[in-house]
Structures are given as C-alpha cells and as structure tokens.
Amino acid sequence: MGLYDRYLALRVRRHDAAAPDHVALVITERDLLEAGAYDTLAAFYDWAFDYGAERVTVYVSVLDEAAVPTLERELANVPAPREVAVRGPEDDRRADAPIQVSVGHGGKREFATAVRNVAEAVDAGDLDPEDVDESTVESELVFPEEPDLVIKTGAERLSDFMIWQSVYSELYFTDVNWRDFRKRDYLRAVLDYENRQRRFGR
C-alpha cells in the first residue's frame, strides 16, 4: 500500500464518524468484460469488510439477458471473505447473505413483485389491509437491507437500482471506471461518506 493510500486509510479509521455498515456498488455488464474485473471485485469485498462494513450489495446492470447465466456463474465464484448470495432476474428468493449480488434484477421489478405478493396475501385473507406498512413491503423484497453508501463508477447514473432500499442512502459518484478502480478510490468514497451529515430524508 502506497503512502497516499496509508494516509487515506488512517483518516478513515480515525474519523469521528462511523464508516458505512452497508456498502452498495453499482457496475455494469460491460465493466465485468474488462481484464481483471473480477479480481477488483474480490479486492472490493476485502476493502469493504476491512473498513467496517458488515454487508455488501453489488448491482450489475445487464443489457443482454443472454449473458445472465454466465455472469451469475462467474460472480458466484469470485473469492469472498463472507457468504455470497447471487440473484438473477427470475430469482425472487430473499438474499440474506452478507454479500448480495444482483445480476440484472431490476429495482422496479423487485418492487412490483413485492407489492403483488402483498396484494395476493390481502386477497387470500392472510393479511389485513390495515396491517400493511413499510415493513410488510420490505419483507417481500429480494434485497431487503438499506445501503448506507452507494458507489457508482464511471458515470452519474444509477439506472434501475434498489429503488425502495436506497431512498435514504448516501450516493457517491466517481468518474473512475471499474477497470481502474483502486483501494484509494474506495477509501475516498468512505471518507466522503464520513464527512457528510446524514439527514435520512429530513
């Protein structure tokens, strides 16, 4: 680790504010075509847990659905320090692992499915409409946890990412492309987060 990286790491660790507990990363299918892309992801997992995160969510936006099976297989095999749950577009099982990976599982579809499940429970008489609240919807989401920090590489656009969960998240956009993303870029994102005053919509 270079001198500048050590400097950033020291600032992050000594900061008065807490580091993010849940970090989310938004990358694209094209990002994963670059040489070393999966090695960078493995390193990202290590950086996140080394600097205080307890959960990591990775959202991979996909243009070509035919690529999903290959992406799912490759992402499931990335070395990781914690258990990994990978979910594709048609997989609505709840992801409870410390590392959660969404492969083309869009936020609009996830939210629509959750609402439909709640409506069906009401229609079947298993749920009273008066009992429906935020936690009811959240219980039906594939990725139920709210990220503290969302990192987007390469452009200031999130696309169809965790629409419900990220409403109060802190967003960090970097013009560094995924192929060039390094530990110092991660530390800059965490330090930026620590320097913010979170308002949670207030």
Side-chain angles (χ1 to χ4, degrees):
M1 185 164 59
L3 184 61
Y4 181 61
D5 291 342
R6 289 192 181 96
Y7 165 73
L8 286 174
L10 188 63
R11 289 188 63 189
V12 166
R13 293 197 188 280
R14 291 189 174 180
H15 204 287
D16 291 336
D21 183 67
H22 182 182
V23 177
L25 170 70
V26 182
I27 54 178
T28 69
E29 170 191 349
R30 289 182 179 178
D31 288 328
L32 294 176
L33 295 175
E34 298 286 350
Y38 293 100
D39 292 333
T40 301
L41 185 58
F44 184 93
Y45 293 155
D46 289 334
W47 302 332
F49 290 111
D50 284 348
Y51 289 91
E54 293 296 327
R55 187 178 299 276
V56 174
T57 298
V58 179
Y59 177 82
V60 182
S61 62
V62 175
L63 294 176
D64 181 7
E65 288 200 6
V68 168
T70 300
L71 289 170
E72 286 181 305
R73 183 172 62 254
E74 294 293 335
L75 288 161
N77 289 324
V78 172
R82 310 276 177 93
E83 180 187 356
V84 179
V86 179
R87 298 290 183 267
E90 304 303 322
D91 191 344
D92 292 325
R93 294 174 297 154
R94 185 182 176 98
D96 286 320
I99 299 175
Q100 304 172 358
V101 182
S102 167
V103 185
H105 200 295
K108 289 182 180 179
R109 181 184 181 282
E110 180 190 23
F111 181 67
T113 300
V115 171
R116 183 168 59 250
N117 291 343
V118 171
E120 289 173 353
V122 170
D123 188 58
D126 299 327
L127 180 64
D128 191 311
E130 297 298 322
D131 294 332
V132 176
D133 57 15
E134 292 178 8
S135 63
T136 310
V137 176
E138 288 168 358
S139 69
E140 297 294 335
L141 295 172
V142 177
F143 305 97
E145 304 292 336
E146 300 176 1
D148 298 305
L149 172 63
V150 177
I151 299 172
K152 174 66 174 72
T153 64
E156 294 193 14
R157 185 168 57 87
L158 285 178
S159 66
D160 190 15
F161 171 80
M162 297 181 82
I163 292 170
W164 177 281
Q165 303 92 321
S166 63
V167 64
Y168 296 138
S169 301
E170 296 296 326
L171 307 180
Y172 181 85
F173 296 96
T174 173
D175 57 4
V176 177
N177 291 318
W178 182 244
R179 67 187 176 198
D180 301 317
F181 197 85
R182 297 165 295 176
K183 184 175 184 177
R184 64 180 56 181
D185 301 305
Y186 179 77
L187 292 172
R188 284 172 179 154
V190 173
L191 189 59
D192 180 85
Y193 170 89
E194 291 177 333
N195 285 332
R196 297 184 189 185
Q197 182 178 0
R198 300 194 69 189
R199 299 184 181 276
F200 297 95
R202 295 190 293 273

